[in-house]
Amino acid sequence: MPHLATDDSVQLYYEETGKGIPIVFIHEFAGDCRAWEPQVRHFSRYYRCITYNARGYPPSDVPPDGERYSQERARDDILAVLDGLRIDKAHIVGLSMGGFATLHFGFTYPRRARSLVIAGCGYGAAPDKRAQFAEEAEASARRFEQLTMATAAEAYALGPTRVQFQNKDPRGWREFLQQLAEHSTAGAANTMRGVQKRRPSLFDLVDRMKSIDVPTLIMTGDEDWPCLEPGILMKTHIPTAGLVVMPNAGHTINLEDPAAFNMHLADLFLAADAGSWPARDPRAMTGSILGR
């Protein structure tokens, strides 16, 4: 199995398929590299597709120390993948937990990104939801430890922004659930506490968003309620951001509607590589409704 080492000596499992301009896919909390299969099958015909399992997700290492998990580590693990595979620049695509990591990568290492896809990003970001999210994250971590992931997976996979997937594609949802149930109990608990629970609010990162000049696509489902307002926040403050809201969709949009998801990614990649993805015209942000 291919692995690469991070700068803090954690071994990350990765897979790569195809040739050409590289795309790196970063999975969500409830996924792993297998969750990108609909994207890899499509884009590996034209691009070099790289997926990897985050720390805590076997066959990547599962560090026992909870302090080895953080938003900064998730961000820098993307850099470790690029460096380990000797990739100068890549399209960076992240969903949920991976979307947060992609955003942080974008304003920390912008010269290493051809483009950014920040999908399903926003859980716990709203100022009035911070305490609730932290409490729910801790409760989830304890539940994983008490029940093991093999047992706790189904309840997690039936969250309010995941039932859309079950209703739309029961077979696909069942596969997603089976993969989630195979995750490491210790890795899931450490990731939930170290990355999810402790990450900063998007509302505290507005000034850093304004610095991003890389072609960026924000994506969310219209029933992924915790991500709608943060999606608009990022669209407003990232000068190069486009926003896609996918209809009748929940959190796992790359699996719920893979054809539409892939289409929007393809449009971004082509425009970014051609140098034709636009930055926002300042005249669009004057505050006037009708103009002069």
Side-chain angles (χ1 to χ4, degrees), residues 64-133:
D65 182 0
E67 295 304 312
R68 305 285 297 278
Y69 300 77
S70 68
Q71 182 64 79
E72 292 76 14
R73 284 277 21 132
R75 174 200 67 199
D76 287 351
D77 284 352
I78 302 174
L79 185 65
V81 170
L82 293 182
D83 289 345
L85 298 178
R86 299 182 181 180
I87 295 170
D88 178 45
K89 298 177 71 170
H91 296 292
I92 309 296
V93 180
L95 175 72
S96 191
M97 181 176 77
F100 278 95
T102 298
L103 172 66
H104 284 256
F105 184 90
F107 53 59
T108 307
Y109 307 112
R111 303 284 72 85
R112 303 297 298 272
R114 288 178 171 270
S115 71
L116 306 170
V117 176
I118 304 168
C121 180
Y123 280 33
D128 62 342
K129 298 293 186 181
R130 297 289 292 162
Q132 177 186 348
F133 180 75

